[in-house]
Amino acid sequence: MYADPPAPREKETDEVPPISSAGPLDIPQRAWEFNPDYQRLVVAWNTVLPQLETLKTALDKAYGLAKSPQTWDAPVGERYIQDIHEWRTRLAAYRHAVLTTISDEAADTPRWIPTSANAPHAFP
């Protein structure tokens, strides 16, 4: 079984952008915005994870029912149990691949990006 990689963090209500290291006289002064590309990764994670959980729950339920002695009384049942087990294994690998891809992309994407919009200027 795989452990889920770290999820991209949503913007917190009290989170502030990084402060310019050049100080208040930085010309031009920088304004920051939360990176829309990073936000898309947060949305992708929050969209995909519940769907993967739904699939996992459905396969786990089917696997539990298939293993029950009340479900199968013929040797063919073992083949179905092996098939469902294989589907569960593939889903776990797929889940790991998808979530790792999103997590890796989020690690490489800056949370805040500089923008010139609404930047304070010394003279109007």
Side-chain angles (χ1 to χ4, degrees), residues 20-40:
S20 175
S21 61
L25 299 177
D26 185 17
I27 304 295
Q29 286 192 346
R30 295 192 181 248
W32 296 87
E33 69 175 330
F34 196 73
N35 191 345
D37 291 335
Y38 191 90
Q39 182 61 36
R40 280 191 279 279

Side-chain angles (χ1 to χ4, degrees), residues 6 21 29 35 61 64 69 81 102-103 115:
S21 61
Q29 286 192 346
N35 191 345
K61 182 178 178 183
I81 292 170
I102 295 172
S103 181
T115 181

